[in-house]
Amino acid sequence: MIGFYHVYKQYVKESYAIYDINLSIEKGEFYFLTGASGAGKTTLLKLIYKEELPTKGQILIDSVNINLIPRKKLYKLRRKIGIVFQDFKLLYNRTVYENIAIPLVVRGYRKSYIDKMVKNSLSLVGLNHRKNYITSHISGGEQQRVAIARAIAGNPIIIIADEPTGNLDTELSIEILKIFEKINNNGITVLIATHDNNLIRMFSKKTIELKQGKLISSPTKEKQQWIY
Amino acid sequence: MDLLKKSLSNAINNILRNKLINFLCLGIISFTLLTLGIFNYISYNLEIFTHNFSKNIEAIFYFKNDVKEKEIKAQISKIRKSLLVDEVIYKSRDEAETSFLSQFPELKYILTEFDKSPFPSSIEIKFKQEESNLTTKIISFIEDIEGSDIIESKQVNIDWAKKVLYIKKFISITGIFLSGILFFVSVFIIYNVIKLNIIYRKEEINILQLVGATDWYIKFPFIIEGALMGLLGGIIAGILLIILIKLIPSYSDFIINILKDIISLKKIPLKILIRLLFFGTIIGLISSLFSLKKFFKK
Ligand SMILES: Nc1ncnc2c1ncn2[C@@H]1O[C@H](COP(=O)(O)OP(=O)(O)OP(=O)(O)O)[C@@H](O)[C@H]1O
Ligand SMILES: [Mg+2]
Protein backbone atom coordinates (compact mmCIF):
# COMPACT_ATOMS: atom_id res chain seq x y z
CA MET A 1 0.00 0.00 0.00
CA ILE A 2 2.73 2.44 1.03
CA GLY A 3 6.39 1.85 0.32
CA PHE A 4 9.44 3.94 1.15
CA TYR A 5 12.60 3.12 -0.76
CA HIS A 6 15.82 4.74 0.47
CA VAL A 7 14.06 7.94 1.37
CA TYR A 8 15.99 10.91 2.68
CA LYS A 9 14.69 14.31 3.72
CA GLN A 10 16.81 17.33 4.44
CA TYR A 11 15.24 20.63 5.44
CA VAL A 12 18.65 22.21 5.94
CA LYS A 13 22.09 21.22 4.78
CA GLU A 14 24.08 18.71 6.79
CA SER A 15 21.02 17.63 8.78
CA TYR A 16 18.61 14.85 7.93
CA ALA A 17 15.03 14.82 9.24
CA ILE A 18 14.59 11.45 7.52
CA TYR A 19 17.58 9.24 6.76
CA ASP A 20 17.56 6.27 4.40
CA ILE A 21 14.14 4.93 5.28
CA ASN A 22 12.89 1.69 3.77
CA LEU A 23 9.40 0.87 4.87
CA SER A 24 6.36 -1.03 3.82
CA ILE A 25 2.88 -0.41 5.12
CA GLU A 26 0.36 -3.13 4.39
CA LYS A 27 -3.22 -2.67 3.41
CA GLY A 28 -5.80 -2.91 6.19
CA GLU A 29 -3.25 -2.84 9.03
CA PHE A 30 -3.00 -0.57 12.07
CA TYR A 31 0.38 1.07 12.74
CA PHE A 32 1.84 3.28 15.39
CA LEU A 33 4.63 5.58 14.30
CA THR A 34 6.70 6.45 17.31
CA GLY A 35 9.90 8.16 18.35
CA ALA A 36 11.08 11.06 20.47
CA SER A 37 10.24 14.62 19.67
CA GLY A 38 12.15 15.65 16.56
CA ALA A 39 12.64 12.05 15.42
CA GLY A 40 10.92 12.81 12.13
CA LYS A 41 7.38 11.46 12.60
CA THR A 42 5.58 14.49 11.19
CA THR A 43 8.07 14.70 8.36
CA LEU A 44 7.47 11.08 7.42
CA LEU A 45 3.70 11.68 7.34
CA LYS A 46 4.14 14.84 5.26
CA LEU A 47 6.16 12.85 2.76
CA ILE A 48 3.25 10.45 2.39
CA TYR A 49 0.72 13.11 1.46
CA LYS A 50 3.32 15.07 -0.50
CA GLU A 51 3.28 18.17 1.61
CA GLU A 52 7.05 17.74 1.59
CA LEU A 53 9.15 16.22 -1.16
CA PRO A 54 11.89 13.72 -0.39
CA THR A 55 15.43 14.95 -0.96
CA LYS A 56 16.25 11.48 -2.28
CA GLY A 57 14.45 8.18 -2.74
CA GLN A 58 11.09 6.94 -3.96
CA ILE A 59 7.71 6.69 -2.29
CA LEU A 60 4.98 4.45 -3.67
CA ILE A 61 1.38 4.82 -2.65
CA ASP A 62 -1.31 2.53 -4.00
CA SER A 63 1.14 1.50 -6.76
CA VAL A 64 1.84 5.09 -7.76
CA ASN A 65 5.27 6.67 -7.46
CA ILE A 66 4.22 9.94 -5.91
CA ASN A 67 7.40 11.70 -7.01
CA LEU A 68 5.97 11.53 -10.50
CA ILE A 69 2.58 13.05 -9.71
CA PRO A 70 2.32 16.49 -11.29
CA ARG A 71 0.94 19.37 -9.25
CA LYS A 72 -2.33 19.32 -11.13
CA LYS A 73 -2.96 15.66 -10.28
CA LEU A 74 -1.98 15.94 -6.63
CA TYR A 75 -5.62 16.07 -5.58
CA LYS A 76 -6.00 12.44 -6.64
CA LEU A 77 -3.41 11.38 -4.08
CA ARG A 78 -4.96 13.56 -1.40
CA ARG A 79 -8.36 11.97 -1.98
CA LYS A 80 -6.94 8.57 -1.11
CA ILE A 81 -5.59 9.78 2.21
CA GLY A 82 -7.56 11.01 5.21
CA ILE A 83 -5.34 13.22 7.35
CA VAL A 84 -5.80 14.17 11.00
CA PHE A 85 -3.42 17.03 11.65
CA GLN A 86 -1.55 17.70 14.84
CA ASP A 87 -3.13 21.17 14.90
CA PHE A 88 -6.49 19.91 13.54
CA LYS A 89 -6.63 22.51 10.74
CA LEU A 90 -10.36 23.06 11.17
CA LEU A 91 -12.31 26.10 10.03
CA TYR A 92 -13.30 27.33 13.45
CA ASN A 93 -15.87 29.86 12.31
CA ARG A 94 -17.85 27.18 10.46
CA THR A 95 -20.15 24.56 11.87
CA VAL A 96 -19.11 21.02 12.67
CA TYR A 97 -21.22 19.84 9.75
CA GLU A 98 -19.52 22.22 7.30
CA ASN A 99 -16.07 21.12 8.39
CA ILE A 100 -16.81 17.47 7.92
CA ALA A 101 -18.48 18.12 4.59
CA ILE A 102 -15.48 19.90 3.04
CA PRO A 103 -13.79 16.83 1.51
CA LEU A 104 -17.13 15.80 0.05
CA VAL A 105 -18.01 19.26 -1.23
CA VAL A 106 -14.71 19.59 -3.08
CA ARG A 107 -15.40 16.26 -4.75
CA GLY A 108 -18.60 17.77 -6.11
CA TYR A 109 -21.00 15.30 -4.53
CA ARG A 110 -24.73 15.86 -4.32
CA LYS A 111 -26.14 17.45 -1.18
CA SER A 112 -28.14 14.38 -0.20
CA TYR A 113 -25.09 12.16 -0.47
CA ILE A 114 -22.99 14.61 1.52
CA ASP A 115 -25.67 14.68 4.24
CA LYS A 116 -25.57 10.93 4.47
CA MET A 117 -21.78 10.68 4.59
CA VAL A 118 -21.44 13.44 7.19
CA LYS A 119 -24.04 11.72 9.33
CA ASN A 120 -22.13 8.43 9.14
CA SER A 121 -18.88 10.14 10.10
CA LEU A 122 -20.54 11.95 12.98
CA SER A 123 -21.98 8.70 14.30
CA LEU A 124 -18.58 7.06 14.08
CA VAL A 125 -16.99 9.70 16.31
CA GLY A 126 -20.12 10.12 18.44
CA LEU A 127 -20.76 13.78 17.72
CA ASN A 128 -24.25 13.78 16.23
CA HIS A 129 -25.45 16.17 18.92
CA ARG A 130 -22.83 18.76 17.92
CA LYS A 131 -23.62 18.77 14.22
CA ASN A 132 -24.73 22.40 13.98
CA TYR A 133 -22.39 23.88 16.55
CA ILE A 134 -19.82 26.44 15.52
CA THR A 135 -16.52 24.59 15.72
CA SER A 136 -14.84 27.13 17.98
CA HIS A 137 -17.62 26.62 20.54
CA ILE A 138 -16.93 22.94 21.22
CA SER A 139 -14.24 21.39 23.44
CA GLY A 140 -10.75 20.38 22.35
CA GLY A 141 -11.59 16.68 22.54
CA GLU A 142 -14.66 17.26 20.40
CA GLN A 143 -12.63 19.24 17.89
CA GLN A 144 -10.22 16.33 17.71
CA ARG A 145 -13.13 14.09 16.83
CA VAL A 146 -14.37 16.54 14.20
CA ALA A 147 -10.92 16.35 12.64
CA ILE A 148 -11.16 12.55 12.58
CA ALA A 149 -14.68 12.66 11.16
CA ARG A 150 -13.49 14.97 8.38
CA ALA A 151 -10.58 12.67 7.58
CA ILE A 152 -12.87 9.68 7.26
CA ALA A 153 -15.70 11.46 5.44
CA GLY A 154 -14.04 11.35 2.04
CA ASN A 155 -13.82 7.54 2.16
CA PRO A 156 -10.01 7.26 2.04
CA ILE A 157 -8.02 4.06 1.75
CA ILE A 158 -5.69 5.15 4.54
CA ILE A 159 -6.02 7.38 7.57
CA ILE A 160 -2.98 9.23 8.83
CA ALA A 161 -3.09 10.91 12.22
CA ASP A 162 -0.37 13.09 13.74
CA GLU A 163 -0.46 12.99 17.56
CA PRO A 164 -4.25 12.67 17.70
CA THR A 165 -4.12 12.29 21.47
CA GLY A 166 -1.50 14.97 22.04
CA ASN A 167 -3.53 17.27 24.26
CA LEU A 168 -5.98 14.77 25.71
CA ASP A 169 -6.12 12.96 29.04
CA THR A 170 -5.73 9.19 29.13
CA GLU A 171 -9.43 8.42 29.20
CA LEU A 172 -10.17 10.56 26.16
CA SER A 173 -7.09 9.23 24.39
CA ILE A 174 -8.34 5.69 24.76
CA GLU A 175 -11.71 6.75 23.41
CA ILE A 176 -10.07 8.35 20.39
CA LEU A 177 -7.95 5.28 19.72
CA LYS A 178 -11.06 3.14 19.87
CA ILE A 179 -12.50 5.26 17.11
CA PHE A 180 -9.43 4.53 15.01
CA GLU A 181 -9.81 0.84 15.76
CA LYS A 182 -13.38 1.01 14.51
CA ILE A 183 -12.17 2.73 11.35
CA ASN A 184 -9.53 0.06 10.92
CA ASN A 185 -12.14 -2.65 11.33
CA ASN A 186 -13.83 -1.27 8.25
CA GLY A 187 -10.73 -2.22 6.29
CA ILE A 188 -9.08 1.18 6.23
CA THR A 189 -5.34 1.28 6.86
CA VAL A 190 -4.46 3.39 9.89
CA LEU A 191 -1.15 5.09 10.68
CA ILE A 192 -0.91 7.04 13.92
CA ALA A 193 2.10 9.08 15.00
CA THR A 194 2.41 9.26 18.77
CA HIS A 195 5.05 9.37 21.47
CA ASP A 196 2.63 8.10 24.12
CA ASN A 197 4.18 4.75 25.05
CA ASN A 198 1.36 3.89 27.42
CA LEU A 199 -1.11 3.94 24.58
CA ILE A 200 1.18 1.89 22.38
CA ARG A 201 1.42 -0.70 25.11
CA MET A 202 -2.32 -0.68 25.71
CA PHE A 203 -3.21 -1.23 22.09
CA SER A 204 -0.83 -3.81 20.83
CA LYS A 205 -0.39 -2.85 17.21
CA LYS A 206 2.43 -2.91 14.73
CA THR A 207 4.94 -0.21 15.56
CA ILE A 208 7.34 1.75 13.43
CA GLU A 209 9.99 3.51 15.47
CA LEU A 210 12.15 6.41 14.38
CA LYS A 211 15.24 7.80 16.02
CA GLN A 212 16.88 10.91 14.65
CA GLY A 213 15.34 10.28 11.28
CA LYS A 214 16.39 6.65 11.07
CA LEU A 215 14.15 3.63 11.21
CA ILE A 216 15.10 1.56 14.25
CA SER A 217 12.26 -0.92 14.28
CA SER A 218 9.60 -1.86 11.82
CA PRO A 219 7.25 -4.83 11.66
CA THR A 220 8.18 -5.62 8.10
CA LYS A 221 11.80 -4.62 8.25
CA GLU A 222 13.08 -8.01 7.13
CA LYS A 223 11.11 -7.78 3.88
CA GLN A 224 12.71 -4.86 2.11
CA GLN A 225 13.18 -6.37 -1.31
CA TRP A 226 11.64 -4.09 -3.90
CA ILE A 227 10.65 -5.01 -7.34
CA TYR A 228 10.37 -2.33 -10.01
CA MET B 1 -24.00 25.31 -10.87
CA ASP B 2 -23.74 24.79 -7.14
CA LEU B 3 -20.12 25.83 -7.30
CA LEU B 4 -21.06 28.98 -9.17
CA LYS B 5 -23.71 29.92 -6.62
CA LYS B 6 -21.35 29.25 -3.78
CA SER B 7 -18.54 31.18 -5.42
CA LEU B 8 -20.80 34.12 -6.03
CA SER B 9 -21.96 34.31 -2.45
CA ASN B 10 -18.37 33.84 -1.30
CA ALA B 11 -17.24 36.64 -3.57
CA ILE B 12 -19.94 38.98 -2.30
CA ASN B 13 -19.04 38.12 1.28
CA ASN B 14 -15.41 38.85 0.58
CA ILE B 15 -16.16 42.15 -1.04
CA LEU B 16 -18.31 43.12 1.93
CA ARG B 17 -15.77 41.93 4.45
CA ASN B 18 -12.87 44.05 3.25
CA LYS B 19 -15.14 47.03 2.71
CA LEU B 20 -12.57 49.78 2.63
CA ILE B 21 -10.11 48.12 0.30
CA ASN B 22 -12.76 46.78 -2.00
CA PHE B 23 -14.64 50.05 -2.27
CA LEU B 24 -11.42 51.86 -3.01
CA CYS B 25 -10.75 49.26 -5.64
CA LEU B 26 -14.24 49.56 -7.08
CA GLY B 27 -13.83 53.33 -7.17
CA ILE B 28 -10.70 53.06 -9.25
CA ILE B 29 -12.17 50.57 -11.68
CA SER B 30 -15.26 52.75 -12.05
CA PHE B 31 -13.11 55.78 -12.66
CA THR B 32 -11.12 53.95 -15.32
CA LEU B 33 -14.23 52.75 -17.05
CA LEU B 34 -15.92 56.12 -16.75
CA THR B 35 -12.96 57.71 -18.51
CA LEU B 36 -13.18 55.07 -21.18
CA GLY B 37 -16.91 55.70 -21.44
CA ILE B 38 -16.59 59.46 -21.74
CA PHE B 39 -14.06 59.20 -24.53
CA ASN B 40 -16.14 56.59 -26.26
CA TYR B 41 -19.15 58.83 -25.99
CA ILE B 42 -17.36 61.85 -27.40
CA SER B 43 -15.94 59.84 -30.28
CA TYR B 44 -19.35 58.41 -30.95
CA ASN B 45 -20.92 61.83 -31.17
CA LEU B 46 -18.18 63.18 -33.38
CA GLU B 47 -18.73 60.20 -35.59
CA ILE B 48 -22.41 60.95 -35.92
CA PHE B 49 -21.49 64.54 -36.51
CA THR B 50 -19.13 63.76 -39.35
CA HIS B 51 -21.58 61.28 -40.75
CA ASN B 52 -24.32 63.84 -40.89
CA PHE B 53 -21.81 66.13 -42.38
CA SER B 54 -20.93 63.72 -45.13
CA LYS B 55 -24.53 63.85 -46.28
CA ASN B 56 -24.00 67.46 -47.09
CA ILE B 57 -20.74 67.09 -48.84
CA GLU B 58 -20.99 68.12 -52.43
CA ALA B 59 -18.19 68.61 -54.84
CA ILE B 60 -18.22 70.53 -58.11
CA PHE B 61 -15.24 70.31 -60.40
CA TYR B 62 -14.62 72.68 -63.31
CA PHE B 63 -12.67 71.39 -66.26
CA LYS B 64 -10.03 73.32 -68.09
CA ASN B 65 -11.31 74.92 -71.28
CA ASP B 66 -9.07 73.06 -73.64
CA VAL B 67 -9.94 69.60 -72.35
CA LYS B 68 -11.38 67.25 -74.97
CA GLU B 69 -14.81 65.80 -74.42
CA LYS B 70 -13.39 62.30 -74.61
CA GLU B 71 -11.17 62.92 -71.61
CA ILE B 72 -14.07 64.33 -69.65
CA LYS B 73 -16.21 61.30 -70.44
CA ALA B 74 -13.42 59.00 -69.30
CA GLN B 75 -13.08 60.91 -66.04
CA ILE B 76 -16.81 60.79 -65.42
CA SER B 77 -17.09 57.08 -65.97
CA LYS B 78 -14.17 56.56 -63.66
CA ILE B 79 -15.90 58.55 -60.94
CA ARG B 80 -19.17 56.73 -61.45
CA LYS B 81 -17.44 53.44 -60.76
CA SER B 82 -16.65 54.46 -57.20
CA LEU B 83 -18.86 52.87 -54.56
CA LEU B 84 -18.96 56.16 -52.69
CA VAL B 85 -20.65 58.02 -55.48
CA ASP B 86 -24.36 58.27 -55.78
CA GLU B 87 -24.71 60.53 -58.76
CA VAL B 88 -22.59 62.54 -61.19
CA ILE B 89 -24.19 65.46 -62.97
CA TYR B 90 -22.36 66.72 -66.00
CA LYS B 91 -22.88 70.21 -67.26
CA SER B 92 -21.39 71.09 -70.64
CA ARG B 93 -20.22 74.60 -71.46
CA ASP B 94 -23.41 75.32 -73.37
CA GLU B 95 -25.57 74.01 -70.59
CA ALA B 96 -23.69 76.20 -68.15
CA GLU B 97 -24.43 79.20 -70.35
CA THR B 98 -28.09 78.31 -70.57
CA SER B 99 -28.46 77.94 -66.83
CA PHE B 100 -26.64 81.23 -66.32
CA LEU B 101 -29.05 82.95 -68.65
CA SER B 102 -32.09 81.47 -66.99
CA GLN B 103 -30.87 82.83 -63.68
CA PHE B 104 -29.65 86.21 -64.83
CA PRO B 105 -31.49 87.11 -68.06
CA GLU B 106 -30.61 90.81 -67.67
CA LEU B 107 -26.93 90.01 -68.07
CA LYS B 108 -27.36 88.56 -71.53
CA TYR B 109 -25.46 91.41 -73.09
CA ILE B 110 -22.25 90.34 -71.42
CA LEU B 111 -22.33 87.03 -73.23
CA THR B 112 -22.71 88.57 -76.65
CA GLU B 113 -19.06 89.46 -76.54
CA PHE B 114 -18.09 85.79 -76.58
CA ASP B 115 -18.52 83.56 -79.60
CA LYS B 116 -18.29 80.48 -77.44
CA SER B 117 -19.69 79.91 -73.93
CA PRO B 118 -17.25 81.45 -71.43
CA PHE B 119 -18.33 79.00 -68.71
CA PRO B 120 -16.28 75.91 -68.09
CA SER B 121 -17.89 72.52 -68.26
CA SER B 122 -18.32 70.92 -64.86
CA ILE B 123 -19.38 67.89 -62.93
CA GLU B 124 -21.22 67.82 -59.66
CA ILE B 125 -20.75 64.70 -57.53
CA LYS B 126 -23.30 63.57 -54.98
CA PHE B 127 -22.22 60.97 -52.45
CA LYS B 128 -24.05 58.05 -50.96
CA GLN B 129 -25.37 58.62 -47.48
CA GLU B 130 -26.39 55.33 -45.96
CA GLU B 131 -23.16 54.10 -44.51
CA SER B 132 -21.43 55.91 -41.73
CA ASN B 133 -17.76 56.49 -41.48
CA LEU B 134 -17.31 57.16 -45.18
CA THR B 135 -16.28 60.75 -44.64
CA THR B 136 -12.59 59.98 -44.54
CA LYS B 137 -12.84 58.01 -47.76
CA ILE B 138 -14.92 60.68 -49.44
CA ILE B 139 -12.35 63.30 -48.54
CA SER B 140 -9.47 61.36 -50.00
CA PHE B 141 -11.56 60.55 -53.06
CA ILE B 142 -12.19 64.23 -53.65
CA GLU B 143 -8.55 65.04 -53.17
CA ASP B 144 -7.72 62.39 -55.76
CA ILE B 145 -9.90 63.96 -58.42
CA GLU B 146 -8.49 67.36 -57.59
CA GLY B 147 -5.07 66.06 -58.50
CA SER B 148 -6.14 65.26 -62.04
CA ASP B 149 -4.62 67.69 -64.61
CA ILE B 150 -7.83 68.26 -66.55
CA ILE B 151 -9.42 69.96 -63.56
CA GLU B 152 -9.20 73.72 -63.48
CA SER B 153 -10.83 74.42 -60.14
CA LYS B 154 -13.20 73.00 -57.61
CA GLN B 155 -15.89 74.06 -55.24
CA VAL B 156 -16.09 71.70 -52.27
CA ASN B 157 -17.05 72.02 -48.63
CA ILE B 158 -14.86 69.49 -46.90
CA ASP B 159 -12.60 71.71 -44.81
CA TRP B 160 -14.83 71.58 -41.79
CA ALA B 161 -15.31 67.87 -42.03
CA LYS B 162 -11.55 67.49 -42.20
CA LYS B 163 -11.11 69.50 -39.05
CA VAL B 164 -13.74 67.51 -37.19
CA LEU B 165 -12.13 64.28 -38.30
CA TYR B 166 -8.83 65.53 -37.08
CA ILE B 167 -10.28 66.40 -33.69
CA LYS B 168 -11.94 63.01 -33.51
CA LYS B 169 -8.69 61.28 -34.19
CA PHE B 170 -6.95 63.32 -31.54
CA ILE B 171 -9.64 62.55 -28.98
CA SER B 172 -9.58 58.86 -29.82
CA ILE B 173 -5.85 58.66 -29.37
CA THR B 174 -5.97 60.60 -26.11
CA GLY B 175 -8.79 58.33 -24.95
CA ILE B 176 -6.96 55.15 -25.81
CA PHE B 177 -3.81 56.41 -24.15
CA LEU B 178 -5.52 57.54 -20.95
CA SER B 179 -7.74 54.47 -20.73
CA GLY B 180 -4.71 52.29 -21.34
CA ILE B 181 -2.84 53.77 -18.43
CA LEU B 182 -5.88 53.55 -16.17
CA PHE B 183 -6.44 49.99 -17.36
CA PHE B 184 -3.02 48.98 -16.08
CA VAL B 185 -3.57 50.84 -12.84
CA SER B 186 -6.86 49.00 -12.35
CA VAL B 187 -5.38 45.62 -13.16
CA PHE B 188 -2.56 46.29 -10.74
CA ILE B 189 -4.94 47.27 -7.98
CA ILE B 190 -7.40 44.39 -8.38
CA TYR B 191 -4.42 42.08 -8.65
CA ASN B 192 -3.25 43.22 -5.25
CA VAL B 193 -6.70 43.13 -3.69
CA ILE B 194 -7.20 39.55 -4.84
CA LYS B 195 -3.75 38.72 -3.59
CA LEU B 196 -4.70 40.09 -0.18
CA ASN B 197 -7.84 38.00 -0.21
CA ILE B 198 -5.84 34.93 -1.13
CA ILE B 199 -3.39 35.55 1.69
CA TYR B 200 -6.29 36.21 4.04
CA ARG B 201 -7.72 32.80 3.16
CA LYS B 202 -4.41 30.98 2.90
CA GLU B 203 -5.29 28.66 5.76
CA GLU B 204 -8.55 27.67 4.17
CA ILE B 205 -6.92 27.18 0.78
CA ASN B 206 -4.32 24.97 2.39
CA ILE B 207 -7.02 22.84 3.99
CA LEU B 208 -8.90 22.56 0.73
CA GLN B 209 -5.75 21.37 -1.00
CA LEU B 210 -5.08 18.81 1.70
CA VAL B 211 -8.53 17.28 1.49
CA GLY B 212 -8.28 16.89 -2.27
CA ALA B 213 -9.70 19.99 -3.92
CA THR B 214 -8.53 20.56 -7.47
CA ASP B 215 -6.67 23.78 -8.27
CA TRP B 216 -9.58 24.86 -10.40
CA TYR B 217 -12.01 24.42 -7.51
CA ILE B 218 -9.88 26.67 -5.36
CA LYS B 219 -9.24 29.25 -8.04
CA PHE B 220 -12.80 29.56 -9.23
CA PRO B 221 -14.16 31.71 -6.37
CA PHE B 222 -11.32 34.18 -6.77
CA ILE B 223 -11.86 34.41 -10.50
CA ILE B 224 -15.54 35.04 -9.88
CA GLU B 225 -14.61 37.63 -7.31
CA GLY B 226 -12.36 39.47 -9.73
CA ALA B 227 -14.88 39.33 -12.52
CA LEU B 228 -17.67 40.48 -10.22
CA MET B 229 -15.60 43.39 -9.03
CA GLY B 230 -14.90 44.41 -12.62
CA LEU B 231 -18.52 44.00 -13.62
CA LEU B 232 -19.66 46.12 -10.67
CA GLY B 233 -17.12 48.75 -11.69
CA GLY B 234 -18.63 48.68 -15.16
CA ILE B 235 -22.16 49.08 -13.83
CA ILE B 236 -21.17 51.99 -11.62
CA ALA B 237 -19.28 53.66 -14.48
CA GLY B 238 -22.30 53.19 -16.75
CA ILE B 239 -24.66 54.77 -14.24
CA LEU B 240 -22.27 57.67 -13.67
CA LEU B 241 -21.96 58.20 -17.41
CA ILE B 242 -25.73 58.29 -17.86
CA ILE B 243 -26.09 60.78 -15.01
CA LEU B 244 -23.28 62.90 -16.39
CA ILE B 245 -24.92 63.04 -19.79
CA LYS B 246 -28.31 63.89 -18.35
CA LEU B 247 -26.63 66.81 -16.63
CA ILE B 248 -25.09 68.24 -19.80
CA PRO B 249 -27.87 70.77 -20.56
CA SER B 250 -27.56 72.38 -17.16
CA TYR B 251 -24.02 73.47 -17.75
CA SER B 252 -23.93 74.01 -21.46
CA ASP B 253 -27.23 75.30 -22.78
CA PHE B 254 -25.42 77.31 -25.33
CA ILE B 255 -23.47 74.50 -26.94
CA ILE B 256 -26.53 72.30 -26.91
CA ASN B 257 -28.49 74.80 -28.90
CA ILE B 258 -25.84 74.97 -31.53
CA LEU B 259 -25.35 71.26 -31.89
CA LYS B 260 -28.81 70.00 -31.14
CA ASP B 261 -29.78 69.48 -34.72
CA ILE B 262 -26.69 67.67 -35.74
CA ILE B 263 -26.03 65.31 -32.90
CA SER B 264 -27.99 63.46 -30.28
CA LEU B 265 -26.14 64.49 -27.16
CA LYS B 266 -28.57 63.15 -24.63
CA LYS B 267 -28.69 59.63 -25.90
CA ILE B 268 -26.04 57.15 -24.95
CA PRO B 269 -25.79 54.14 -27.20
CA LEU B 270 -26.23 50.75 -25.57
CA LYS B 271 -23.08 49.68 -27.36
CA ILE B 272 -20.97 51.90 -25.13
CA LEU B 273 -22.64 50.71 -21.92
CA ILE B 274 -22.12 47.09 -22.89
CA ARG B 275 -18.53 47.86 -23.71
CA LEU B 276 -18.02 49.22 -20.19
CA LEU B 277 -19.41 46.07 -18.58
CA PHE B 278 -17.32 43.95 -20.91
CA PHE B 279 -14.08 45.79 -20.21
CA GLY B 280 -14.81 45.81 -16.48
CA THR B 281 -15.24 42.06 -16.44
CA ILE B 282 -12.11 41.59 -18.53
CA ILE B 283 -10.07 43.77 -16.19
CA GLY B 284 -11.32 41.74 -13.23
CA LEU B 285 -10.64 38.43 -14.90
CA ILE B 286 -7.14 39.31 -16.01
CA SER B 287 -6.14 40.61 -12.61
CA SER B 288 -7.47 37.67 -10.65
CA LEU B 289 -5.88 35.20 -13.05
CA PHE B 290 -2.55 36.95 -12.60
CA SER B 291 -2.89 36.85 -8.83
CA LEU B 292 -3.74 33.18 -8.84
CA LYS B 293 -0.97 32.32 -11.23
CA LYS B 294 1.52 33.93 -8.93
CA PHE B 295 0.10 32.17 -5.89
CA PHE B 296 -0.16 28.73 -7.43
CA LYS B 297 3.10 28.61 -9.29
CA LYS B 298 5.61 26.29 -7.78
N1 LIG C 1 10.06 23.10 7.96
C1 LIG C 1 11.20 22.70 8.58
N2 LIG C 1 12.35 23.36 8.36
C2 LIG C 1 13.49 22.99 8.96
N3 LIG C 1 13.57 21.95 9.79
C3 LIG C 1 12.45 21.25 10.04
C4 LIG C 1 11.21 21.58 9.46
N4 LIG C 1 10.27 20.71 9.89
C5 LIG C 1 10.91 19.87 10.73
N5 LIG C 1 12.23 20.18 10.82
C6 LIG C 1 13.22 19.44 11.60
O1 LIG C 1 13.20 18.10 11.21
C7 LIG C 1 13.32 17.24 12.34
C8 LIG C 1 12.11 16.32 12.43
O2 LIG C 1 10.96 17.07 12.73
P1 LIG C 1 9.51 16.46 12.85
O3 LIG C 1 8.57 17.55 13.00
O4 LIG C 1 9.32 15.51 11.73
O5 LIG C 1 9.65 15.65 14.20
P2 LIG C 1 8.50 14.94 15.03
O6 LIG C 1 8.96 13.55 15.23
O7 LIG C 1 7.20 15.12 14.39
O8 LIG C 1 8.54 15.72 16.40
P3 LIG C 1 7.33 16.03 17.42
O9 LIG C 1 7.11 14.78 18.18
O10 LIG C 1 7.88 17.12 18.29
O11 LIG C 1 6.18 16.48 16.61
C9 LIG C 1 13.44 18.15 13.55
O12 LIG C 1 14.82 18.27 13.85
C10 LIG C 1 12.90 19.46 13.08
O13 LIG C 1 13.53 20.53 13.72
MG1 LIG D 1 5.37 16.08 14.90
Side-chain angles (χ1 to χ4, degrees), chain A residues 22-89:
Chain A
N22 293 291
L23 180 66
S24 168
I25 286 169
E26 308 295 335
K27 195 171 154 74
E29 297 289 334
F30 191 123
Y31 295 87
F32 282 120
L33 174 61
T34 183
S37 182
K41 301 182 292 294
T42 300
T43 303
L44 189 137
L45 297 184
K46 283 182 175 171
L47 288 170
I48 292 175
Y49 57 87
K50 219 181 168 190
E51 169 97 336
E52 294 290 348
L53 301 172
T55 311
K56 226 167 87 183
Q58 312 295 322
I59 300 168
L60 259 72
I61 293 174
D62 202 21
S63 318
V64 177
N65 184 337
I66 66 167
N67 282 2
L68 305 180
I69 300 176
R71 228 209 85 82
K72 284 213 179 294
K73 295 276 164 66
L74 190 55
Y75 72 95
K76 289 186 175 171
L77 172 69
R78 300 274 169 83
R79 287 181 186 186
K80 290 177 187 170
I81 307 170
I83 313 165
V84 182
F85 300 94
Q86 197 162 5
D87 58 352
F88 305 165
K89 292 197 194 300

Side-chain angles (χ1 to χ4, degrees), chain A residues 71 78-79 85 89 94 105, chain B residues 204 207 209 212 215 217:
Chain A
R71 228 209 85 82
R78 300 274 169 83
R79 287 181 186 186
F85 300 94
K89 292 197 194 300
R94 311 280 179 88
V105 173
Chain B
E204 190 180 337
I207 291 172
Q209 285 174 327
D215 278 0
Y217 180 92

Side-chain angles (χ1 to χ4, degrees), chain A residues 96-115:
Chain A
V96 168
Y97 174 92
E98 285 171 323
N99 269 287
I100 299 172
I102 291 174
L104 302 161
V105 173
V106 303
R107 283 162 171 79
Y109 291 148
R110 271 175 294 113
K111 179 92 171 64
S112 57
Y113 182 71
I114 293 176
D115 278 347

